[in-house]
Amino acid sequence: MRQKQLSLGNVQRLRAFRRKEEIKMKFFVDTADIGEINELNTAGLIDGVTTNPSLIKKAGRDFKEIIADICKVTEGDVSAEVIAIDQQGMIEQGKILAKIASNVVVKLPLTGDGLKACRALTAEGIKTNVTLCFSANQGLLAAKAGATYISPFIGRIDDIHTDGMELIHHLRVIIDNYDFKTQILAASIRTPLHVRDSAIFGADVATVPPAVLWGLLNHPLTTKGLDQFVEDAKAADIKI
Ligand code: G3P
């Protein structure tokens, strides 16, 4: 009876839960700004970093130097994206990026050439993050190509009046159906609700801009409660 009440998604999650020894949602930060990364590290808020050419442009420094600096202060995976769009060029650039540090993950676009590069780099033991995923079928192909991570772009799907979160749900079901090792990395996250829903739908990782990550802390009742405690501590002349 209880089993009947479970939605299809929940049944899949239950299966996955039984299969995996540990399920822990990870937070990556979506930035190439070393100052922002250091600040988040101080609070122990992040498990890794993702970058892309647009974020590197914003940081305004040499690409490989930025990645090397980020890797030094990050224990977990750091995604660095190739700029070539042909298979051979992506493989060559991927190998160069992977040599920067052992925690570099090579980010590749979800194209035919990108998947070929993904397969080749995976065969050499290099981690990959297949990016710009906008459909469940694209994600399925990336998982079959051996991607370490698949990056569905939630916010950009929402931008065109389609439900980005549905893609996370579909990818979760597909990956669990066939026990692919690929991790779902929810990307293009813009709001705290995107973070909450990514967790509800079972993304393995959410990569979140720094402002949104810090924004998760905000609650007016926390602010109000703390103001009251500070005021009462002063009134009572509490000293520690
Ligand atoms: O990780 C990809 C992400 O940076 C894209 O975000 O907000 O530009 O769609 P956005």
Side-chain angles (χ1 to χ4, degrees):
M1 182 62 187
R2 184 176 166 272
Q3 195 71 6
K4 273 190 188 161
Q5 289 166 347
L6 293 172
S7 70
L8 175 65
N10 282 341
V11 171
Q12 301 292 351
R13 290 296 298 143
L14 206 59
R15 275 203 225 147
F17 185 74
R18 288 193 189 117
R19 260 200 311 261
K20 290 181 188 173
E21 280 173 17
E22 185 199 6
I23 294 181
K24 177 189 167 229
M25 189 190 187
K26 287 173 276 184
F27 279 164
F28 289 178
V29 63
D30 203 23
T31 184
D33 183 317
I34 197 86
E36 289 178 329
I37 294 167
N38 281 333
E39 198 187 351
L40 286 156
N41 272 335
T42 310
L45 286 185
I46 50 169
D47 305 294
V49 178
T50 53
T51 65
N52 61 36
S54 309
L55 293 169
I56 297 292
K57 181 182 163 206
K58 206 169 146 194
R61 290 200 292 132
D62 177 79
F63 177 35
K64 284 185 277 178
E65 270 177 33
I66 294 178
I67 296 299
D69 286 350
I70 294 174
C71 287
K72 276 184 208 141
V73 299
T74 307
E75 256 185 53
D77 287 342
V78 176
S79 288
E81 189 158 343
V82 296
I83 49 163
I85 55 170
D86 65 294
Q87 176 194 353
Q88 206 43 46
M90 284 192 247
I91 293 171
E92 281 163 20
Q93 291 181 0
K95 286 181 185 172
I96 292 170
L97 293 173
K99 279 196 188 123
I100 295 176
S102 59
N103 52 340
V104 165
V105 173
V106 176
K107 213 167 168 187
L108 303 158
L110 214 164
T111 60
D113 278 40
L115 293 189
K116 288 177 198 163
C118 174
R119 185 155 219 90
L121 293 169
T122 302
E124 300 220 12
I126 294 172
K127 287 189 187 182
T128 56
N129 173 358
V130 176
T131 189
L132 291 166
C133 173
F134 294 94
S135 80
N137 283 333
Q138 285 182 317
L140 174 57
L141 295 182
K144 284 178 74 67
T148 313
Y149 296 101
I150 177 73
S151 287
F153 273 35
I154 305 312
R156 293 192 195 184
I157 296 175
D158 287 356
D159 286 345
I160 56 162
H161 300 265
T162 312
D163 183 5
M165 217 39 75
E166 190 180 65
L167 177 54
I168 300 286
H169 174 56
H170 287 166
L171 288 172
R172 182 76 274 152
V173 172
I174 289 168
I175 284 173
D176 290 348
N177 273 349
Y178 300 105
D179 206 14
F180 286 115
K181 299 292 172 258
T182 303
Q183 295 180 55
I184 300 168
L185 196 168
S188 184
I189 281 187
R190 313 258 180 82
T191 67
L193 283 184
H194 279 155
V195 178
R196 184 199 69 184
D197 291 345
S198 294
I200 289 173
F201 286 104
D204 298 286
V205 189
T207 189
V208 188
V212 177
L213 254 178
W214 287 113
L216 300 181
L217 281 168
N218 293 341
H219 198 289
L221 292 181
T222 304
T223 310
K224 190 178 168 204
L226 183 59
D227 287 349
Q228 184 70 55
F229 289 154
V230 169
E231 199 183 311
D232 290 345
K234 264 188 210 151
D237 198 25
I238 296 174
K239 292 198 171 56
I240 296 174

